Amino acid sequence: MTVAVLVLAAGRGERLGAPVPKAFAPLAGVPLVVRSLAAMARVREVDRVVPVVALADRDRFAALAPGLAGIPKLTAPVWGGAERQDSMQAGLASLGPDVDLVAVHDAARPFVRARDVARVLAAARDVGAALLAVPVTDTIKRVRAGRVVETPERSECWAAQTPQAFRAEVLREALARAAAEGFQATDDVRLVERLGLPVAVVEGDPGNVKITRSEDLTAAHARLLDLRACDEAVR
Ligand code: C5P
């Protein structure tokens, strides 16, 4: 079983308000994309880690070479597209027929735990597609034009995370159908759901946050300092 992970880093991430694209924003001096690539390479079940980067960031990514040199399993970068789904398509197209399982991960989620990646890969192998998610603690409202249109049952609401993982043929079929029908999603397993195929939910870690706004980066930095302080205290 050959397993590849696409680490999507081709977005602009304008909500972060950083002077560089989000994936290149440093967290304690290390860009988010480097942290996420390293986190994926640490997973024993993963054979190949594929960075998907905007062509406009070619030089910026090349400049990370010293930091990437120590990361095993890394392939050459693949150039992403205008939408997240285009970036995923480009990453998938770069994989050979030898790849059986594909996971897709946001470069903006640097805290993902290896054991959760392994669990979502195992579920995708068994079911066809799977995602990490956490039960929501807030009540969720569906809102349109400033008015509540629906309140889904909270016990059935989960917040989707990445990685989301797929048998390669399932992801190929789902992307081909979405492209043929002009369907775009911000969530990868959505493309499989719409084909009526099963998607397994694997309970993840609330700490696997996506860095979106500048306050997320500040909170992430504080968390890293806490983790370091804990490490030192138990050493
Ligand atoms: O914008 P958002 O935070 O939802 O993006 C999630 C991930 O998808 C980010 O890591 C971003 O770099 C990636 N992405 C991409 N190509 C795009 C848009 C987003 O690789 N065209």
Side-chain angles (χ1 to χ4, degrees):
M1 171 89 33
T2 300
V3 178
V5 182
L6 309 176
V7 175
L8 300 187
R12 302 285 87 201
E14 274 154 13
R15 287 172 291 180
L16 190 62
V20 290
K22 179 163 74 174
F24 294 85
L27 174 54
V30 180
L32 295 176
V33 62
V34 176
R35 289 185 178 277
S36 294
L37 291 167
M40 286 302 170
R42 270 197 297 272
V43 181
R44 196 170 39 87
E45 291 77 0
V46 168
D47 300 298
R48 224 170 286 164
V49 180
V50 183
V52 181
V53 177
L55 186 56
D57 294 328
R58 179 201 284 252
D59 293 344
R60 221 188 282 277
F61 189 76
L64 301 181
L68 296 174
I71 302 179
K73 308 176 188 178
L74 215 54
T75 72
V78 171
W79 311 125
E83 304 296 333
R84 181 201 159 87
Q85 208 165 298
D86 304 323
S87 298
M88 182 168 65
Q89 171 74 70
L92 185 65
S94 78
L95 304 177
D98 62 316
V99 173
D100 308 289
L101 268 186
V102 183
V104 183
H105 186 59
D106 292 336
R109 291 185 193 269
F111 291 119
V112 65
R113 301 184 303 200
R115 62 179 179 278
D116 292 333
V117 179
R119 288 164 63 230
V120 80
L121 287 169
R125 189 193 54 219
D126 293 346
V127 174
L131 81 158
L132 288 180
V134 287
V136 299
T137 51
D138 293 329
T139 297
I140 302 294
K141 301 285 182 190
R142 270 172 54 84
V143 176
R144 208 173 292 137
R147 295 280 187 274
V148 173
V149 289
E150 193 195 348
T151 303
E153 173 58 39
R154 188 172 65 185
S155 62
E156 290 184 356
C157 289
W158 292 60
Q161 300 181 336
T162 70
Q164 303 192 346
F166 309 84
R167 281 193 217 125
E169 72 276 9
V170 170
L171 184 56
R172 282 207 179 89
E173 160 82 4
L175 265 171
R177 290 274 291 276
E181 292 157 20
F183 182 84
Q184 284 280 345
T186 54
D187 176 54
D188 312 320
V189 292
R190 175 77 182 90
L191 305 181
V192 173
E193 289 163 45
R194 69 190 287 272
L195 303 187
L197 297 174
V199 176
V201 177
V202 175
E203 184 162 356
D205 167 26
N208 179 23
V209 292
K210 183 168 75 166
I211 308 291
T212 303
R213 301 191 176 83
S214 65
E215 52 269 32
D216 301 332
L217 207 50
T218 310
H221 193 225
R223 179 153 173 239
L224 268 188
L225 295 179
D226 278 354
L227 289 173
R228 277 189 202 154
C230 280
D231 282 354
E232 274 160 29
V234 296
R235 210 171 274 148

PDB file of all heavy atoms in Angstrom, residues 7-15 21-23 36 52-54 80-88 104-109 162 186 188 210-212, ligand 1:
ATOM      1  N   VAL A   7       0.205  18.338   0.464  1.00  0.00           N
ATOM      2  CA  VAL A   7       0.139  19.449   1.425  1.00  0.00           C
ATOM      3  C   VAL A   7      -0.149  20.725   0.619  1.00  0.00           C
ATOM      4  O   VAL A   7       0.706  21.197  -0.137  1.00  0.00           O
ATOM      5  CB  VAL A   7       1.447  19.555   2.243  1.00  0.00           C
ATOM      6  CG1 VAL A   7       1.409  20.788   3.148  1.00  0.00           C
ATOM      7  CG2 VAL A   7       1.651  18.292   3.073  1.00  0.00           C
ATOM      8  N   LEU A   8      -1.387  21.208   0.753  1.00  0.00           N
ATOM      9  CA  LEU A   8      -1.836  22.336  -0.078  1.00  0.00           C
ATOM     10  C   LEU A   8      -1.360  23.658   0.510  1.00  0.00           C
ATOM     11  O   LEU A   8      -1.746  24.024   1.630  1.00  0.00           O
ATOM     12  CB  LEU A   8      -3.355  22.333  -0.202  1.00  0.00           C
ATOM     13  CG  LEU A   8      -3.984  21.089  -0.825  1.00  0.00           C
ATOM     14  CD1 LEU A   8      -5.475  21.308  -1.026  1.00  0.00           C
ATOM     15  CD2 LEU A   8      -3.319  20.714  -2.139  1.00  0.00           C
ATOM     16  N   ALA A   9      -0.545  24.364  -0.260  1.00  0.00           N
ATOM     17  CA  ALA A   9       0.068  25.615   0.225  1.00  0.00           C
ATOM     18  C   ALA A   9      -0.023  26.708  -0.831  1.00  0.00           C
ATOM     19  O   ALA A   9       0.764  27.647  -0.817  1.00  0.00           O
ATOM     20  CB  ALA A   9       1.532  25.346   0.584  1.00  0.00           C
ATOM     21  N   ALA A  10      -0.976  26.564  -1.777  1.00  0.00           N
ATOM     22  CA  ALA A  10      -1.000  27.487  -2.920  1.00  0.00           C
ATOM     23  C   ALA A  10      -1.986  28.635  -2.756  1.00  0.00           C
ATOM     24  O   ALA A  10      -2.178  29.416  -3.683  1.00  0.00           O
ATOM     25  CB  ALA A  10      -1.296  26.711  -4.203  1.00  0.00           C
ATOM     26  N   GLY A  11      -2.616  28.734  -1.565  1.00  0.00           N
ATOM     27  CA  GLY A  11      -3.577  29.830  -1.361  1.00  0.00           C
ATOM     28  C   GLY A  11      -2.859  31.122  -1.013  1.00  0.00           C
ATOM     29  O   GLY A  11      -1.669  31.127  -0.683  1.00  0.00           O
ATOM     30  N   ARG A  12      -3.608  32.219  -1.079  1.00  0.00           N
ATOM     31  CA  ARG A  12      -3.039  33.531  -0.718  1.00  0.00           C
ATOM     32  C   ARG A  12      -3.191  33.781   0.780  1.00  0.00           C
ATOM     33  O   ARG A  12      -2.345  34.400   1.394  1.00  0.00           O
ATOM     34  CB  ARG A  12      -3.737  34.673  -1.481  1.00  0.00           C
ATOM     35  CG  ARG A  12      -3.675  34.567  -3.004  1.00  0.00           C
ATOM     36  CD  ARG A  12      -2.319  34.920  -3.565  1.00  0.00           C
ATOM     37  NE  ARG A  12      -1.446  33.742  -3.580  1.00  0.00           N
ATOM     38  CZ  ARG A  12      -0.120  33.765  -3.623  1.00  0.00           C
ATOM     39  NH1 ARG A  12       0.535  34.887  -3.626  1.00  0.00           N
ATOM     40  NH2 ARG A  12       0.574  32.656  -3.653  1.00  0.00           N
ATOM     41  N   GLY A  13      -4.330  33.319   1.338  1.00  0.00           N
ATOM     42  CA  GLY A  13      -4.561  33.509   2.769  1.00  0.00           C
ATOM     43  C   GLY A  13      -4.655  34.971   3.155  1.00  0.00           C
ATOM     44  O   GLY A  13      -4.030  35.416   4.126  1.00  0.00           O
ATOM     45  N   GLU A  14      -5.443  35.718   2.409  1.00  0.00           N
ATOM     46  CA  GLU A  14      -5.480  37.174   2.646  1.00  0.00           C
ATOM     47  C   GLU A  14      -6.020  37.560   4.023  1.00  0.00           C
ATOM     48  O   GLU A  14      -5.662  38.606   4.559  1.00  0.00           O
ATOM     49  CB  GLU A  14      -6.270  37.859   1.528  1.00  0.00           C
ATOM     50  CG  GLU A  14      -5.353  38.146   0.348  1.00  0.00           C
ATOM     51  CD  GLU A  14      -6.054  38.236  -0.988  1.00  0.00           C
ATOM     52  OE1 GLU A  14      -7.287  38.321  -1.000  1.00  0.00           O
ATOM     53  OE2 GLU A  14      -5.335  38.191  -2.002  1.00  0.00           O
ATOM     54  N   ARG A  15      -6.877  36.687   4.613  1.00  0.00           N
ATOM     55  CA  ARG A  15      -7.446  37.030   5.922  1.00  0.00           C
ATOM     56  C   ARG A  15      -6.374  37.124   7.009  1.00  0.00           C
ATOM     57  O   ARG A  15      -6.593  37.700   8.060  1.00  0.00           O
ATOM     58  CB  ARG A  15      -8.512  35.989   6.324  1.00  0.00           C
ATOM     59  CG  ARG A  15      -9.789  36.113   5.530  1.00  0.00           C
ATOM     60  CD  ARG A  15     -10.733  34.974   5.803  1.00  0.00           C
ATOM     61  NE  ARG A  15     -10.233  33.704   5.270  1.00  0.00           N
ATOM     62  CZ  ARG A  15     -10.860  32.541   5.374  1.00  0.00           C
ATOM     63  NH1 ARG A  15     -12.004  32.475   6.011  1.00  0.00           N
ATOM     64  NH2 ARG A  15     -10.342  31.440   4.850  1.00  0.00           N
ATOM     65  N   PRO A  21       2.351  35.101   1.481  1.00  0.00           N
ATOM     66  CA  PRO A  21       1.224  34.162   1.455  1.00  0.00           C
ATOM     67  C   PRO A  21       1.207  33.325   2.735  1.00  0.00           C
ATOM     68  O   PRO A  21       2.269  33.015   3.294  1.00  0.00           O
ATOM     69  CB  PRO A  21       1.509  33.303   0.219  1.00  0.00           C
ATOM     70  CG  PRO A  21       2.398  34.141  -0.632  1.00  0.00           C
ATOM     71  CD  PRO A  21       3.227  34.964   0.307  1.00  0.00           C
ATOM     72  N   LYS A  22      -0.012  32.956   3.162  1.00  0.00           N
ATOM     73  CA  LYS A  22      -0.180  32.351   4.494  1.00  0.00           C
ATOM     74  C   LYS A  22       0.783  31.191   4.775  1.00  0.00           C
ATOM     75  O   LYS A  22       1.356  31.109   5.870  1.00  0.00           O
ATOM     76  CB  LYS A  22      -1.622  31.882   4.643  1.00  0.00           C
ATOM     77  CG  LYS A  22      -1.916  31.219   5.962  1.00  0.00           C
ATOM     78  CD  LYS A  22      -3.382  31.141   6.242  1.00  0.00           C
ATOM     79  CE  LYS A  22      -4.098  30.094   5.421  1.00  0.00           C
ATOM     80  NZ  LYS A  22      -5.504  29.965   5.833  1.00  0.00           N
ATOM     81  N   ALA A  23       0.943  30.283   3.813  1.00  0.00           N
ATOM     82  CA  ALA A  23       1.755  29.089   4.059  1.00  0.00           C
ATOM     83  C   ALA A  23       3.210  29.439   4.391  1.00  0.00           C
ATOM     84  O   ALA A  23       3.929  28.640   4.978  1.00  0.00           O
ATOM     85  CB  ALA A  23       1.704  28.159   2.851  1.00  0.00           C
ATOM     86  N   SER A  36       4.126  21.843   8.415  1.00  0.00           N
ATOM     87  CA  SER A  36       3.134  20.848   7.997  1.00  0.00           C
ATOM     88  C   SER A  36       3.785  19.722   7.198  1.00  0.00           C
ATOM     89  O   SER A  36       3.420  18.546   7.365  1.00  0.00           O
ATOM     90  CB  SER A  36       2.028  21.516   7.177  1.00  0.00           C
ATOM     91  OG  SER A  36       1.312  22.390   8.016  1.00  0.00           O
ATOM     92  N   VAL A  52       2.241  21.366  -2.594  1.00  0.00           N
ATOM     93  CA  VAL A  52       1.537  21.995  -3.720  1.00  0.00           C
ATOM     94  C   VAL A  52       1.575  23.503  -3.468  1.00  0.00           C
ATOM     95  O   VAL A  52       1.013  23.992  -2.479  1.00  0.00           O
ATOM     96  CB  VAL A  52       0.084  21.488  -3.842  1.00  0.00           C
ATOM     97  CG1 VAL A  52      -0.604  22.145  -5.042  1.00  0.00           C
ATOM     98  CG2 VAL A  52       0.051  19.957  -3.977  1.00  0.00           C
ATOM     99  N   VAL A  53       2.278  24.209  -4.347  1.00  0.00           N
ATOM    100  CA  VAL A  53       2.652  25.605  -4.117  1.00  0.00           C
ATOM    101  C   VAL A  53       2.235  26.431  -5.336  1.00  0.00           C
ATOM    102  O   VAL A  53       2.204  25.900  -6.459  1.00  0.00           O
ATOM    103  CB  VAL A  53       4.207  25.656  -3.934  1.00  0.00           C
ATOM    104  CG1 VAL A  53       4.703  27.072  -3.766  1.00  0.00           C
ATOM    105  CG2 VAL A  53       4.645  24.788  -2.764  1.00  0.00           C
ATOM    106  N   ALA A  54       1.927  27.709  -5.148  1.00  0.00           N
ATOM    107  CA  ALA A  54       1.600  28.569  -6.299  1.00  0.00           C
ATOM    108  C   ALA A  54       2.866  28.819  -7.133  1.00  0.00           C
ATOM    109  O   ALA A  54       3.946  29.011  -6.567  1.00  0.00           O
ATOM    110  CB  ALA A  54       1.031  29.900  -5.807  1.00  0.00           C
ATOM    111  N   GLY A  80       0.182  24.716  -7.903  1.00  0.00           N
ATOM    112  CA  GLY A  80      -1.252  24.688  -7.613  1.00  0.00           C
ATOM    113  C   GLY A  80      -2.059  25.522  -8.591  1.00  0.00           C
ATOM    114  O   GLY A  80      -1.539  25.970  -9.626  1.00  0.00           O
ATOM    115  N   GLY A  81      -3.332  25.731  -8.272  1.00  0.00           N
ATOM    116  CA  GLY A  81      -4.222  26.472  -9.167  1.00  0.00           C
ATOM    117  C   GLY A  81      -4.963  27.570  -8.439  1.00  0.00           C
ATOM    118  O   GLY A  81      -4.719  27.831  -7.261  1.00  0.00           O
ATOM    119  N   ALA A  82      -5.908  28.194  -9.150  1.00  0.00           N
ATOM    120  CA  ALA A  82      -6.611  29.366  -8.627  1.00  0.00           C
ATOM    121  C   ALA A  82      -7.482  29.016  -7.418  1.00  0.00           C
ATOM    122  O   ALA A  82      -7.555  29.775  -6.463  1.00  0.00           O
ATOM    123  CB  ALA A  82      -7.464  29.976  -9.723  1.00  0.00           C
ATOM    124  N   GLU A  83      -8.144  27.868  -7.470  1.00  0.00           N
ATOM    125  CA  GLU A  83      -8.993  27.427  -6.360  1.00  0.00           C
ATOM    126  C   GLU A  83      -8.332  26.239  -5.686  1.00  0.00           C
ATOM    127  O   GLU A  83      -7.567  25.508  -6.310  1.00  0.00           O
ATOM    128  CB  GLU A  83     -10.385  27.009  -6.868  1.00  0.00           C
ATOM    129  CG  GLU A  83     -11.126  28.077  -7.647  1.00  0.00           C
ATOM    130  CD  GLU A  83     -11.457  29.298  -6.796  1.00  0.00           C
ATOM    131  OE1 GLU A  83     -11.586  29.154  -5.559  1.00  0.00           O
ATOM    132  OE2 GLU A  83     -11.567  30.395  -7.372  1.00  0.00           O
ATOM    133  N   ARG A  84      -8.714  26.031  -4.434  1.00  0.00           N
ATOM    134  CA  ARG A  84      -8.159  24.917  -3.671  1.00  0.00           C
ATOM    135  C   ARG A  84      -8.316  23.584  -4.425  1.00  0.00           C
ATOM    136  O   ARG A  84      -7.399  22.770  -4.483  1.00  0.00           O
ATOM    137  CB  ARG A  84      -8.887  24.856  -2.331  1.00  0.00           C
ATOM    138  CG  ARG A  84      -8.420  23.787  -1.415  1.00  0.00           C
ATOM    139  CD  ARG A  84      -9.485  23.486  -0.383  1.00  0.00           C
ATOM    140  NE  ARG A  84      -9.199  22.167   0.135  1.00  0.00           N
ATOM    141  CZ  ARG A  84      -8.376  21.928   1.133  1.00  0.00           C
ATOM    142  NH1 ARG A  84      -7.805  22.900   1.754  1.00  0.00           N
ATOM    143  NH2 ARG A  84      -8.126  20.692   1.504  1.00  0.00           N
ATOM    144  N   GLN A  85      -9.504  23.397  -5.014  1.00  0.00           N
ATOM    145  CA  GLN A  85      -9.775  22.153  -5.748  1.00  0.00           C
ATOM    146  C   GLN A  85      -8.819  21.983  -6.941  1.00  0.00           C
ATOM    147  O   GLN A  85      -8.422  20.871  -7.261  1.00  0.00           O
ATOM    148  CB  GLN A  85     -11.220  22.213  -6.252  1.00  0.00           C
ATOM    149  CG  GLN A  85     -11.866  20.873  -6.421  1.00  0.00           C
ATOM    150  CD  GLN A  85     -13.381  21.054  -6.562  1.00  0.00           C
ATOM    151  OE1 GLN A  85     -14.035  21.552  -5.657  1.00  0.00           O
ATOM    152  NE2 GLN A  85     -13.915  20.675  -7.688  1.00  0.00           N
ATOM    153  N   ASP A  86      -8.455  23.098  -7.579  1.00  0.00           N
ATOM    154  CA  ASP A  86      -7.501  23.038  -8.696  1.00  0.00           C
ATOM    155  C   ASP A  86      -6.127  22.605  -8.173  1.00  0.00           C
ATOM    156  O   ASP A  86      -5.401  21.851  -8.835  1.00  0.00           O
ATOM    157  CB  ASP A  86      -7.358  24.410  -9.376  1.00  0.00           C
ATOM    158  CG  ASP A  86      -8.690  24.957  -9.855  1.00  0.00           C
ATOM    159  OD1 ASP A  86      -9.520  24.156 -10.314  1.00  0.00           O
ATOM    160  OD2 ASP A  86      -8.902  26.185  -9.750  1.00  0.00           O
ATOM    161  N   SER A  87      -5.788  23.094  -6.968  1.00  0.00           N
ATOM    162  CA  SER A  87      -4.490  22.710  -6.385  1.00  0.00           C
ATOM    163  C   SER A  87      -4.489  21.217  -6.072  1.00  0.00           C
ATOM    164  O   SER A  87      -3.497  20.509  -6.314  1.00  0.00           O
ATOM    165  CB  SER A  87      -4.223  23.514  -5.111  1.00  0.00           C
ATOM    166  OG  SER A  87      -4.144  24.885  -5.406  1.00  0.00           O
ATOM    167  N   MET A  88      -5.619  20.735  -5.544  1.00  0.00           N
ATOM    168  CA  MET A  88      -5.713  19.310  -5.226  1.00  0.00           C
ATOM    169  C   MET A  88      -5.615  18.482  -6.506  1.00  0.00           C
ATOM    170  O   MET A  88      -4.908  17.469  -6.563  1.00  0.00           O
ATOM    171  CB  MET A  88      -7.029  19.031  -4.505  1.00  0.00           C
ATOM    172  CG  MET A  88      -7.126  17.595  -4.116  1.00  0.00           C
ATOM    173  SD  MET A  88      -8.443  17.244  -3.007  1.00  0.00           S
ATOM    174  CE  MET A  88      -9.883  17.585  -3.913  1.00  0.00           C
ATOM    175  N   VAL A 104      -5.105  14.614   1.851  1.00  0.00           N
ATOM    176  CA  VAL A 104      -4.985  16.023   1.468  1.00  0.00           C
ATOM    177  C   VAL A 104      -4.969  16.830   2.756  1.00  0.00           C
ATOM    178  O   VAL A 104      -5.857  16.670   3.610  1.00  0.00           O
ATOM    179  CB  VAL A 104      -6.182  16.450   0.586  1.00  0.00           C
ATOM    180  CG1 VAL A 104      -6.002  17.893   0.127  1.00  0.00           C
ATOM    181  CG2 VAL A 104      -6.331  15.521  -0.613  1.00  0.00           C
ATOM    182  N   HIS A 105      -3.943  17.671   2.912  1.00  0.00           N
ATOM    183  CA  HIS A 105      -3.779  18.415   4.168  1.00  0.00           C
ATOM    184  C   HIS A 105      -3.524  19.891   3.888  1.00  0.00           C
ATOM    185  O   HIS A 105      -2.799  20.241   2.959  1.00  0.00           O
ATOM    186  CB  HIS A 105      -2.607  17.811   4.966  1.00  0.00           C
ATOM    187  CG  HIS A 105      -2.442  18.409   6.325  1.00  0.00           C
ATOM    188  ND1 HIS A 105      -3.439  18.385   7.279  1.00  0.00           N
ATOM    189  CD2 HIS A 105      -1.405  19.077   6.900  1.00  0.00           C
ATOM    190  CE1 HIS A 105      -3.024  18.992   8.382  1.00  0.00           C
ATOM    191  NE2 HIS A 105      -1.799  19.426   8.169  1.00  0.00           N
ATOM    192  N   ASP A 106      -4.126  20.751   4.725  1.00  0.00           N
ATOM    193  CA  ASP A 106      -3.877  22.197   4.637  1.00  0.00           C
ATOM    194  C   ASP A 106      -2.498  22.505   5.213  1.00  0.00           C
ATOM    195  O   ASP A 106      -2.237  22.151   6.380  1.00  0.00           O
ATOM    196  CB  ASP A 106      -4.869  22.976   5.524  1.00  0.00           C
ATOM    197  CG  ASP A 106      -6.292  22.907   5.034  1.00  0.00           C
ATOM    198  OD1 ASP A 106      -6.503  22.670   3.843  1.00  0.00           O
ATOM    199  OD2 ASP A 106      -7.200  23.117   5.883  1.00  0.00           O
ATOM    200  N   ALA A 107      -1.694  23.242   4.457  1.00  0.00           N
ATOM    201  CA  ALA A 107      -0.407  23.697   5.011  1.00  0.00           C
ATOM    202  C   ALA A 107      -0.644  24.560   6.253  1.00  0.00           C
ATOM    203  O   ALA A 107       0.231  24.695   7.107  1.00  0.00           O
ATOM    204  CB  ALA A 107       0.350  24.494   3.958  1.00  0.00           C
ATOM    205  N   ALA A 108      -1.857  25.132   6.341  1.00  0.00           N
ATOM    206  CA  ALA A 108      -2.181  26.038   7.446  1.00  0.00           C
ATOM    207  C   ALA A 108      -2.559  25.299   8.735  1.00  0.00           C
ATOM    208  O   ALA A 108      -3.002  25.942   9.691  1.00  0.00           O
ATOM    209  CB  ALA A 108      -3.319  26.960   7.013  1.00  0.00           C
ATOM    210  N   ARG A 109      -2.388  23.961   8.777  1.00  0.00           N
ATOM    211  CA  ARG A 109      -2.667  23.192  10.008  1.00  0.00           C
ATOM    212  C   ARG A 109      -1.374  22.499  10.456  1.00  0.00           C
ATOM    213  O   ARG A 109      -1.196  21.296  10.234  1.00  0.00           O
ATOM    214  CB  ARG A 109      -3.754  22.132   9.767  1.00  0.00           C
ATOM    215  CG  ARG A 109      -5.125  22.704   9.535  1.00  0.00           C
ATOM    216  CD  ARG A 109      -6.149  21.581   9.438  1.00  0.00           C
ATOM    217  NE  ARG A 109      -7.399  22.061   8.933  1.00  0.00           N
ATOM    218  CZ  ARG A 109      -8.407  22.520   9.703  1.00  0.00           C
ATOM    219  NH1 ARG A 109      -8.297  22.531  11.005  1.00  0.00           N
ATOM    220  NH2 ARG A 109      -9.512  22.940   9.148  1.00  0.00           N
ATOM    221  N   THR A 162      -8.467  18.802   8.337  1.00  0.00           N
ATOM    222  CA  THR A 162      -7.666  17.962   7.455  1.00  0.00           C
ATOM    223  C   THR A 162      -6.594  17.314   8.321  1.00  0.00           C
ATOM    224  O   THR A 162      -6.316  17.834   9.409  1.00  0.00           O
ATOM    225  CB  THR A 162      -6.996  18.766   6.306  1.00  0.00           C
ATOM    226  OG1 THR A 162      -5.965  19.589   6.851  1.00  0.00           O
ATOM    227  CG2 THR A 162      -8.015  19.587   5.553  1.00  0.00           C
ATOM    228  N   THR A 186     -15.095  23.711  -0.711  1.00  0.00           N
ATOM    229  CA  THR A 186     -13.945  24.118   0.114  1.00  0.00           C
ATOM    230  C   THR A 186     -13.473  22.935   0.957  1.00  0.00           C
ATOM    231  O   THR A 186     -12.475  23.019   1.662  1.00  0.00           O
ATOM    232  CB  THR A 186     -14.343  25.254   1.090  1.00  0.00           C
ATOM    233  OG1 THR A 186     -15.489  24.818   1.832  1.00  0.00           O
ATOM    234  CG2 THR A 186     -14.655  26.538   0.352  1.00  0.00           C
ATOM    235  N   ASP A 188     -12.744  18.736   0.892  1.00  0.00           N
ATOM    236  CA  ASP A 188     -12.438  17.713  -0.109  1.00  0.00           C
ATOM    237  C   ASP A 188     -13.420  16.544  -0.101  1.00  0.00           C
ATOM    238  O   ASP A 188     -13.849  16.081  -1.157  1.00  0.00           O
ATOM    239  CB  ASP A 188     -11.000  17.210   0.103  1.00  0.00           C
ATOM    240  CG  ASP A 188     -10.037  18.377   0.248  1.00  0.00           C
ATOM    241  OD1 ASP A 188     -10.217  19.364  -0.492  1.00  0.00           O
ATOM    242  OD2 ASP A 188      -9.142  18.331   1.102  1.00  0.00           O
ATOM    243  N   LYS A 210      -6.734  25.453  12.128  1.00  0.00           N
ATOM    244  CA  LYS A 210      -6.272  26.060  10.875  1.00  0.00           C
ATOM    245  C   LYS A 210      -5.930  27.515  11.147  1.00  0.00           C
ATOM    246  O   LYS A 210      -6.757  28.262  11.675  1.00  0.00           O
ATOM    247  CB  LYS A 210      -7.354  25.972   9.801  1.00  0.00           C
ATOM    248  CG  LYS A 210      -6.870  26.535   8.463  1.00  0.00           C
ATOM    249  CD  LYS A 210      -7.786  26.209   7.319  1.00  0.00           C
ATOM    250  CE  LYS A 210      -9.024  27.067   7.364  1.00  0.00           C
ATOM    251  NZ  LYS A 210      -9.779  27.015   6.098  1.00  0.00           N
ATOM    252  N   ILE A 211      -4.720  27.910  10.802  1.00  0.00           N
ATOM    253  CA  ILE A 211      -4.318  29.310  10.968  1.00  0.00           C
ATOM    254  C   ILE A 211      -5.001  30.107   9.852  1.00  0.00           C
ATOM    255  O   ILE A 211      -4.761  29.856   8.663  1.00  0.00           O
ATOM    256  CB  ILE A 211      -2.776  29.461  10.868  1.00  0.00           C
ATOM    257  CG1 ILE A 211      -2.046  28.501  11.815  1.00  0.00           C
ATOM    258  CG2 ILE A 211      -2.359  30.915  11.075  1.00  0.00           C
ATOM    259  CD1 ILE A 211      -2.184  28.772  13.268  1.00  0.00           C
ATOM    260  N   THR A 212      -5.861  31.027  10.249  1.00  0.00           N
ATOM    261  CA  THR A 212      -6.593  31.822   9.250  1.00  0.00           C
ATOM    262  C   THR A 212      -6.358  33.313   9.480  1.00  0.00           C
ATOM    263  O   THR A 212      -6.022  34.033   8.539  1.00  0.00           O
ATOM    264  CB  THR A 212      -8.111  31.521   9.330  1.00  0.00           C
ATOM    265  OG1 THR A 212      -8.302  30.120   9.154  1.00  0.00           O
ATOM    266  CG2 THR A 212      -8.885  32.270   8.243  1.00  0.00           C
TER     267      THR A 212
HETATM  268  O1  C5P B   1      -8.064  29.593   2.369  1.00  0.00           O
HETATM  269  P1  C5P B   1      -8.041  28.387   3.250  1.00  0.00           P
HETATM  270  O2  C5P B   1      -7.406  28.652   4.584  1.00  0.00           O
HETATM  271  O3  C5P B   1      -9.348  27.674   3.362  1.00  0.00           O
HETATM  272  O4  C5P B   1      -7.070  27.354   2.492  1.00  0.00           O
HETATM  273  C1  C5P B   1      -6.805  26.086   3.040  1.00  0.00           C
HETATM  274  C2  C5P B   1      -5.533  25.528   2.419  1.00  0.00           C
HETATM  275  O5  C5P B   1      -5.710  25.363   1.005  1.00  0.00           O
HETATM  276  C3  C5P B   1      -4.342  26.452   2.628  1.00  0.00           C
HETATM  277  O6  C5P B   1      -3.261  25.685   3.144  1.00  0.00           O
HETATM  278  C4  C5P B   1      -4.093  27.024   1.241  1.00  0.00           C
HETATM  279  O7  C5P B   1      -2.735  27.309   0.980  1.00  0.00           O
HETATM  280  C5  C5P B   1      -4.613  25.908   0.313  1.00  0.00           C
HETATM  281  N1  C5P B   1      -5.035  26.432  -1.003  1.00  0.00           N
HETATM  282  C6  C5P B   1      -4.383  26.010  -2.156  1.00  0.00           C
HETATM  283  N2  C5P B   1      -4.737  26.523  -3.384  1.00  0.00           N
HETATM  284  C7  C5P B   1      -5.709  27.460  -3.491  1.00  0.00           C
HETATM  285  C8  C5P B   1      -6.406  27.887  -2.322  1.00  0.00           C
HETATM  286  C9  C5P B   1      -6.049  27.342  -1.070  1.00  0.00           C
HETATM  287  O8  C5P B   1      -3.469  25.180  -2.086  1.00  0.00           O
HETATM  288  N3  C5P B   1      -5.992  27.951  -4.692  1.00  0.00           N
END
